[in-house]
Amino acid sequence: MKIKIFGLLLASSLVLAACGNEEESANEDTTETEGGPITDEETTDEDQETSTDYGGTDNDAATEENTEDGNEDSSDESDEETSADPSGSSDPNSNTSEEAESTETDGTSNDNSDSSSSSEAGSETIALEDISLTADDAISLAEGEAEGDLHEISFENEGNGWVYKVDLNNGSEESEVVVDHDTEEIVDVRTEQEDDDDNDDQNDVVDYGSLNEAYDAIDEAIADLGGGEVREWSLSMDDGVAEYDIDLIYENQKYEYTIDAESLEILNSEQDD
C-alpha cells in the first residue's frame, strides 16, 4: 500500500516537474522574442519614426512652407513689375518702335506740309474763289503807304506767292506798292522820280470806285471760256477806257481776254500759242 502511494506521489512529482519545465520553456521563448535581435523591418520602422521625430516629416512640411512663401514673394514681384509696366511688355524695342513711328509720321507730315506750301506758292494759276483779298482792299492798303492817284493795278505770282502791285502817281514821283495776298501786308515799295516830260495825264488815272470789280470781269471771262483759272490780270487805262487784261489757263492752254471795266463787255479774246 505504501509502495502504491509512493508511486503515485512520484508520478505526481514527475508530472508537476514536467509542467514546470514547460512553463519555464515558454517564458524563455517569450523573453527571447521580446528581447531578441531587431530585424531589418523594425529598424526601418524605427528610422522612419526617428526621421519624423527629428526633422523628417516636420522638416519637409517646413520646406514646403518656405517654398510656398518664396513662390508668393516671386508672384508679388512679378505683379509689381506688371503694375509698373501696364502694357505687360518688357520688350525694349517697343518704345523705340513707337518713337520711330512717331518720328517717321512727323517727318512725313512736315514734308507734305512744306510740299503743299511750296506747290501753292509756285503754282502758275489760282482759282477765282481762292482770291480772298479783293483789289479794292489792296488799293486801300497801298494808299496808306504811298500818296498819289491810281494808274494801274495788277495781280500775279512772283514765285513766292500771289501779290497785288499798285501803281500810284502824285505828279512828282511814281510808287509801286507790293501787297501780299495771303498776309495782306506791304512787302515792298518801289519809288522813282517822275520825269518833267511825263506829266500826270488825268486820262491815265483809274477811278476804281466807279468800275466793276475785278472779280466780276474774271468771272465773265471764265463763263465765256467754259472754265479755267487765273494766271494773272491787270487794270489800266487805254485811250481813256478802263480795261481789264485777263490771262486764263484752261485745259493746259493759255487764253487772253480784254474786258471793258465799265460795261464788262468782252473787247477781245484769243488763245495764246
Side-chain angles (χ1 to χ4, degrees):
M1 186 66 174
K2 289 180 180 181
I3 294 171
K4 288 183 180 179
I5 293 171
F6 179 78
L8 289 171
L9 290 173
L10 181 60
S12 297
S13 298
L14 292 173
V15 170
L16 289 174
C19 289
N21 290 334
E22 287 178 0
E23 288 177 0
E24 186 178 2
S25 176
N27 289 334
E28 287 176 359
D29 292 339
T30 302
T31 301
E32 287 178 357
T33 302
E34 291 178 353
I38 298 174
T39 63
D40 293 337
E41 276 182 287
E42 291 172 348
T43 301
T44 303
D45 293 338
E46 287 179 1
D47 289 340
Q48 289 178 352
E49 290 175 1
T50 301
S51 174
T52 302
D53 293 339
Y54 297 95
T57 304
D58 292 339
N59 287 342
D60 291 342
T63 302
E64 289 177 0
E65 264 186 336
N66 291 335
T67 302
E68 290 176 359
D69 291 340
N71 290 338
E72 289 177 1
D73 293 340
S74 175
S75 176
D76 292 339
E77 290 176 1
S78 176
D79 291 340
E80 288 176 4
E81 290 176 0
T82 303
S83 176
D85 184 5
S87 65
S89 172
S90 60
D91 186 2
N93 294 328
S94 176
N95 294 335
T96 303
S97 176
E98 291 177 2
E99 290 174 1
E101 288 178 5
S102 176
T103 302
E104 188 174 41
T105 302
D106 292 342
T108 302
S109 177
N110 290 337
D111 289 344
N112 289 339
S113 177
D114 292 342
S115 176
S116 176
S117 299
S118 176
S119 175
E120 183 178 349
S123 176
E124 186 181 3
T125 62
I126 183 172
L128 179 59
E129 59 269 20
D130 291 336
I131 301 176
S132 56
L133 180 63
T134 65
D136 191 38
D137 290 337
I139 293 170
S140 297
L141 291 171
E143 288 176 340
E145 190 69 23
E147 296 180 353
D149 296 322
L150 177 65
H151 277 227
E152 184 176 357
I153 179 173
S154 64
F155 180 74
E156 60 191 80
N157 192 329
E158 284 198 326
N160 297 326
W162 295 92
V163 297
Y164 283 96
K165 294 181 179 179
V166 182
D167 290 347
L168 302 174
N169 193 310
N170 63 6
S172 62
E173 63 181 13
E174 182 179 359
S175 301
E176 182 183 69
V177 183
V178 182
V179 183
D180 188 279
H181 167 263
D182 294 325
T183 63
E184 301 184 10
E185 295 178 352
I186 306 298
V187 295
D188 195 10
V189 178
R190 304 159 187 167
T191 302
E192 63 180 19
Q193 295 297 318
E194 187 76 10
D195 294 336
D196 294 336
D197 295 336
D198 296 333
N199 294 324
D200 184 16
D201 191 342
Q202 290 298 317
N203 289 330
D204 292 336
V205 176
V206 177
D207 183 11
Y208 191 79
S210 65
L211 304 174
N212 285 292
E213 288 277 351
Y215 186 97
D216 296 328
I218 296 169
D219 188 50
E220 190 73 23
I222 291 175
D224 179 74
L225 186 60
E229 292 189 341
V230 179
R231 184 172 180 270
E232 64 179 356
W233 66 262
S234 65
L235 170 66
S236 60
M237 300 294 293
D238 184 13
D239 293 334
V241 178
E243 296 178 350
Y244 283 108
D245 290 318
I246 302 169
D247 289 356
L248 301 176
I249 300 291
Y250 180 59
E251 295 182 347
N252 297 322
Q253 297 293 322
K254 179 181 175 182
Y255 297 86
E256 296 179 351
Y257 276 81
T258 301
I259 296 180
D260 188 308
E262 288 190 38
S263 64
L264 292 181
E265 177 186 354
I266 296 176
L267 304 177
N268 184 48
S269 65
E270 61 182 15
Q271 181 178 341
D272 188 358
D273 297 331

